[in-house]
């Protein structure tokens, strides 16, 4: 991940490790799909369908983290091997984020511990509270950011510019009010005290990405900034702290039950898994046995699998499995 474009990678050892990781991740993804869809499982009449089991699987927090890491890994692989302009830089960033999420996923193992388990449950529930807070804060950030930009840069038309996405002027709308949530005042910028490397010539700043437009002083901007920081730092931040406190008390009141439930979930999640890459050998055998059983059932009576297995196909599968079993 850190040496894919230098002399070390040109040697075969780095390439071997890279493709081994691909195989390992692919096998692990197969296990996640198998657990999520409930493949190779049997049940009674009330047994859930594949689609229902898949939705239930995605609704779990840890499974959602898993899927996110695999999606990023697949996108990184596509970028790494198919995208021409600077594939190593973008792919390295995506690989790094995917690896970071995978490490966070391993925190689920701490749910087995009686002391650390309730703590992780609190963190998971607090993240839900934080998402609600961010939804409220985002509305305030966008509104205040637009006010700043409209009055400091009046009649500014081009918010994207001619450069790359990281130089777009639109990011300034979110940058200053976001960091003000953490106490940054940006008084020099909002009061337009000192400016350097900027111009007021429209023909220059609308074309060049090397020089920015100079801000125009507006007396109402510091006033709005003071009100915004008062509300965001005293009201919104204390609101999320109160939400965290309520979540903490709720989890602590039911910590034993919640911990036992999460512990049971972890045990059942790993109970039917086959370690990668050994599942590339075991799972095809299980798939053939699964198809053989469904074929035998299909030969005796009509079933929903008749669409996929006709009589000739069933006889072929049964003969093949019987010879190599």
């Amino acid at each position: 991940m850190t040496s894919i474009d230098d002399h070390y990678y040109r040697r075969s050892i780095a390439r071997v490790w890279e493709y081994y990781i691909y195989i390992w991740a692919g096998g692990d993804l197969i296990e996640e799909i198998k657990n999520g869809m409930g493949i190779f499982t049997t049940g009674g009449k009330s047994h859930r369908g594949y689609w229902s089991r898949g939705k239930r699987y995605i609704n779990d927090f840890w499974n959602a983290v898993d899927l996110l890491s695999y999606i990023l890994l697949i996108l990184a692989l596509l970028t790494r091997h198919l995208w021409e302009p600077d594939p190593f830089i973008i792919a390295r960033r995506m690989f790094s984020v995917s690896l970071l999420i995978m490490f966070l996923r391993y925190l689920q193992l701490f749910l087995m511990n009686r002391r650390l388990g309730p703590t992780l449950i609190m963190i998971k529930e607090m993240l839900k509270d934080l998402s609600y807070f961010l939804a409220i804060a985002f509305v305030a950030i966008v509104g205040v950011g637009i006010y700043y930009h409209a009055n400091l840069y009046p009649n500014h038309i081009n918010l994207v510019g001619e450069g790359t996405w990281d130089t777009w002027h639109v990011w300034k709308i979110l940058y200053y009010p976001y960091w003000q949530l953490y106490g940054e005042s940006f008084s020099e910028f909002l009061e337009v005290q000192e400016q350097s490397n900027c111009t007021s010539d429209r023909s220059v700043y609308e074309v060049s990405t090397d020089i920015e437009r100079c801000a125009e002083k507006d007396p109402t901007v510091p006033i709005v900034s003071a009100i915004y920081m008062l509300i965001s730092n005293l009201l919104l931040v204390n609101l999320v702290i109160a939400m965290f406190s309520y979540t903490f008390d709720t989890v602590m009141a039911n910590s034993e039950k919640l911990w036992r439930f999460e512990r049971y979930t972890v045990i059942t999640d790993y109970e039917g898994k086959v370690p990668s890459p050994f599942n590339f050998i075991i799972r095809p055998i299980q798939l053939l046995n699964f198809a053989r059983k469904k074929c035998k059932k299909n030969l005796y009576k009509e079933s929903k699998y008749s669409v996929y297995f006709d009589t000739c196909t069933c006889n072929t599968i049964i003969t093949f499995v019987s010879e190599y079993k």
Side-chain angles (χ1 to χ4, degrees), residues 35-144:
N35 285 352
M37 302 301 294
I39 304 174
F40 305 140
T41 59
T42 57
K45 294 182 179 180
S46 62
H47 196 56
R48 293 174 178 266
Y50 290 139
W51 178 249
S52 178
R53 278 176 277 178
K55 290 193 297 184
R56 184 179 181 182
Y57 174 84
I58 295 176
N59 288 332
D60 183 79
F61 172 79
W62 298 106
N63 295 332
V65 173
D66 261 342
L67 291 179
L68 179 60
S69 66
Y70 289 122
I71 290 173
L72 289 174
L73 181 60
I74 293 172
L75 292 176
L77 288 176
L78 295 176
T79 305
R80 164 81 170 83
H81 295 284
L82 299 179
W83 199 40
E84 293 297 332
D86 295 331
F88 299 115
I89 297 176
I90 304 298
R92 182 183 292 113
R93 293 171 182 171
M94 300 180 72
F95 276 129
S96 302
V97 176
S98 177
L99 182 63
L100 172 61
I101 296 176
M102 285 184 179
F103 274 116
L104 294 177
R105 176 65 171 83
Y106 293 144
L107 289 175
Q108 187 189 23
L109 298 177
F110 290 121
L111 289 172
M112 303 293 293
N113 186 275
R114 185 181 292 271
R115 292 183 177 273
L116 295 178
T119 303
L120 283 177
I121 296 174
M122 291 178 194
I123 294 175
K124 184 181 71 172
E125 296 300 324
M126 287 179 180
L127 286 177
K128 296 179 182 178
D129 296 336
L130 185 61
S131 64
Y132 301 144
F133 165 77
L134 290 177
I136 299 173
F138 179 76
V139 177
I141 289 172
V142 173
V144 173

Side-chain angles (χ1 to χ4, degrees), residues 54 59 90 170 186 199 222 233 251 269 298:
N59 288 332
I90 304 298
V170 69
F186 297 108
T199 180
N233 285 270
V251 173
D269 186 32
N298 184 50

Side-chain angles (χ1 to χ4, degrees), residues 194-200 205 209-214:
E194 296 181 3
Q195 297 188 86
S196 60
N197 192 26
C198 64
T199 180
S200 299
Y205 64 73
T209 58
D210 298 329
I211 187 169
E212 296 184 354
R213 177 186 177 181
C214 292

Side-chain angles (χ1 to χ4, degrees), residues 137-152:
F138 179 76
V139 177
I141 289 172
V142 173
V144 173
I146 291 175
Y147 183 89
Y148 290 168
H149 192 274
N151 291 276
L152 293 176

